[in-house]
Amino acid sequence: MTAITSLQLAGEPFSIGRMHGEALGEEIRRFLDDDLCRLNRLLPKPTSLADLKDTVARHREVIARDTPDLFAEIRGLAAGAGIDLDAALLLQLRREVMGYSRIPTGGDCTTLCRPLPPGGRVLAQTIDLNGNLDDQMVVMEITHSVTGSRVLVLSFTGLLGYLGLNGYGVGIGINLVLGGPWQPGVPPYLAIRHLLDRCADVESCLACLGGLQLASSRSLTICDAKQAVSVELLHGRMAVIRNEQLVHTNHFLFEDFAAEDGLNPFSHNSSVLRLQACRDRLGRLPQRAGPDDVMNIFCHEPIRVKGNGDCRRERTVGAVVMLPGQGRMHVRRGDPALSATQTFQLHA
Amino acid sequence: MSELSTIISRNIAALLDRSALNGQPINLDADLLGHYGLTSLNMVLLITSVCEDTETELTKITEEDLSRLHTARDIVALVQSIRNRRASA
């Protein structure tokens, strides 16, 4: 498989977006033309940008209000790629447009975080998605000229955030959890980018998250040099789980949220199995395990989710091992058991 | 027909219009989606009720198991394998 596309972007928000759009314009337009960023291969009924106009507008209002810098970057992306603003926004809202029902959404991804002697932490996860998105993976290194903040983000074509780390040593991973009404708001992928752009530690991430109107439920795993948390987000509510070692899959762990879990019982069983398997393997890792040892956890079923040829089913399209304190990200694109590691470094 | 096959056939029939069966028994090898038109929701309800009627623990069945169930005979095989594992445990 070819190397993962990587970009280095710098400047003010609109300029960063425009550079991004200019660099990947052809890929962005091709992805949009591909069954409307593959949405029409996944949705029960086909849709169009025209059909989604009102939905996009309702999300746009909140994104512009709560994350104005990212909204400027999205405008820049549209200008650079030569696409409508609504198309650029759709690239941020793909998961919200897919929505969820108890059936048939699976919901995969396994995330772990643990201390890494002699100091710091490792934050790592599988990326389990439908739509065969491995070929759309992008890594972006972003330097903000106004604040000086630096961010290393793994994402997908035209999407401004997904998971990553920043120059302050903060790392953020993500798991889908299903619950509550999904509503116009900031997609959690953008929320992660918003936190990485401005937050120097876990506590400021939590404070910042509390001020956002999020579009959908998620669990985020956030770490800095001193602590790590899983934060479950469910329709305006937040539950924080603090521990030295954390594992999260796709069901709610906080008891009060578990009662509202929208995962179907069989996907819930799969999620529980992956959680237990990851805890077991993590428990057997030596104290001084390196990134390859952690990556190896993701190479075994049930944590590694193999595809069955149906692009509507989630499968493991990548795996990431982040060392936020060192500004380093190790990535395997595609099935982690079959692909090689590429390493990305946040430059000083 | 075995006891398991009978239970599973009964549960499939309960999800279908009478006219869809046309007086015929459930074909254990017919595709549940393609031939009987069962949806993903139907499949979840079917397996849930089969587990209840056969006293099979729901927690033993994953999303991956569900994705491999294409016929009534596949469901019979799954329930039987869970029973066998329980017996040898």
Side-chain angles (χ1 to χ4, degrees):
Chain A
M1 197 175 270
T2 53
I4 298 168
T5 300
S6 66
L7 300 178
Q8 291 196 310
L9 308 168
E12 295 182 2
F14 184 91
S15 301
I16 288 171
R18 185 171 54 197
M19 283 174 66
H20 182 174
E22 284 169 353
L24 293 187
E26 196 178 313
E27 290 84 348
I28 288 169
R29 292 187 298 273
R30 190 182 316 133
F31 187 51
L32 283 164
D33 284 345
D34 187 4
D35 286 331
L36 195 65
C37 32
R38 300 181 189 170
L39 279 171
N40 286 334
R41 295 185 205 169
L42 307 171
L43 292 171
K45 281 186 343 177
T47 189
S48 66
L49 206 44
D51 290 342
L52 294 168
K53 195 174 171 60
D54 288 346
T55 299
V56 169
R58 286 192 289 269
H59 283 85
R60 181 178 66 227
E61 192 180 319
V62 184
I63 293 170
R65 183 194 71 201
D66 286 7
T67 56
D69 286 351
L70 285 176
F71 184 62
E73 193 171 320
I74 295 168
R75 288 193 298 106
L77 180 78
I83 61 176
D84 288 343
L85 177 58
D86 275 2
L89 282 160
L90 178 63
L91 291 167
Q92 321 306 316
L93 298 170
R94 236 182 121 262
R95 190 60 191 87
E96 280 66 30
V97 168
M98 278 199 278
Y100 82 93
S101 60
R102 284 184 70 94
I103 324 296
T105 309
D108 296 326
C109 277
T110 303
T111 301
L112 64 89
C113 185
R114 69 171 241 173
L116 184 74
R121 274 166 221 283
V122 57
L123 171 57
Q125 68 172 92
T126 54
I127 302 168
D128 297 342
L129 299 169
N130 57 15
N132 294 334
L133 289 184
D134 6 15
D135 63 345
Q136 304 298 318
M137 196 178 279
V138 178
V139 171
M140 297 181 282
E141 182 178 359
I142 300 162
T143 305
H144 292 279
S145 56
V146 175
T147 60
S149 72
R150 297 167 299 121
V151 175
L152 189 62
V153 169
L154 180 144
S155 188
F156 296 87
T157 300
L159 178 59
L160 302 193
Y162 191 89
L163 58 83
L165 54 89
N166 68 18
Y168 301 113
V170 172
I172 308 181
I174 185 166
N175 294 83
L176 181 67
V177 282
L178 301 178
W182 285 14
Q183 60 184 4
V186 177
Y189 301 141
L190 289 191
I192 286 174
R193 178 57 205 286
H194 182 72
L195 302 186
L196 289 172
D197 282 347
R198 58 190 22 79
C199 296
D201 54 31
V202 166
E203 293 305 326
S204 59
C205 285
L206 295 177
C208 196
L209 260 180
L212 298 175
Q213 177 177 317
L214 295 177
S216 51
S217 50
R218 284 303 189 289
S219 174
L220 305 188
T221 301
I222 308 174
C223 72
D224 61 27
K226 292 194 181 131
Q227 62 171 322
V229 298
S230 286
V231 51
E232 296 183 340
L233 303 158
L234 174 59
H235 194 220
R237 291 168 287 162
M238 202 156 75
V240 180
I241 302 165
R242 296 177 192 269
N243 212 329
E244 276 298 285
Q245 186 164 286
L246 294 163
V247 178
H248 208 291
T249 50
N250 304 104
H251 58 283
F252 286 105
L253 299 178
F254 182 58
E255 208 175 292
D256 289 2
F257 288 1
E260 299 175 56
D261 201 319
L263 209 53
N264 77 67
F266 307 106
S267 297
H268 190 274
N269 294 341
S270 299
S271 180
V272 168
L273 274 181
R274 282 185 287 109
L275 184 83
Q276 287 168 346
C278 190
R279 282 179 175 162
D280 288 345
R281 285 190 175 271
L282 201 55
R284 292 201 296 268
L285 272 190
Q287 270 284 87
R288 290 187 174 268
D292 282 344
D293 299 308
V294 177
M295 187 67 87
N296 188 50
I297 292 176
F298 303 138
C299 296
H300 303 276
E301 292 172 76
I303 300 165
R304 165 195 179 219
V305 179
K306 285 168 72 171
N308 66 355
D310 183 354
C311 80
R312 294 166 301 173
R313 274 184 56 78
E314 289 86 353
R315 63 172 173 84
T316 303
V317 299
V320 181
V321 175
M322 292 189 281
L323 306 174
Q326 298 174 25
R328 196 171 309 144
M329 184 189 286
H330 304 278
V331 183
R332 287 190 188 176
R333 180 168 67 173
D335 185 337
L338 303 175
S339 50
T341 302
Q342 295 178 58
T343 299
F344 300 88
Q345 178 70 51
L346 189 62
H347 294 95
Chain B
M1 195 183 269
S2 69
E3 178 216 352
L4 260 184
S5 302
T6 302
I7 292 172
I8 288 162
S9 297
R10 186 177 66 232
N11 278 281
I12 293 171
L15 289 169
L16 302 174
D17 282 346
R18 275 208 191 138
S19 56
L21 280 174
N22 211 19
Q24 297 296 312
I26 294 291
N27 180 341
L28 294 181
D29 297 304
D31 192 274
L32 294 167
L33 171 67
H35 185 77
Y36 288 117
L38 294 190
T39 63
S40 303
L41 174 59
N42 290 148
M43 285 299 295
V44 171
L45 295 174
L46 171 64
I47 303 307
T48 305
S49 61
V50 162
C51 283
E52 222 172 273
D53 289 352
T54 60
E55 295 181 350
T56 304
E57 292 174 60
L58 203 69
T59 54
K60 299 295 184 199
I61 301 176
T62 66
E63 174 72 21
E64 287 70 37
D65 292 327
L66 201 68
S67 73
R68 289 193 282 266
L69 299 176
H70 302 294
T71 66
R73 202 178 296 281
D74 291 339
I75 301 174
V76 171
L78 175 66
V79 172
Q80 192 59 59
S81 76
I82 294 171
R83 283 183 172 180
N84 292 345
R85 282 201 302 268
R86 192 167 60 202
S88 61

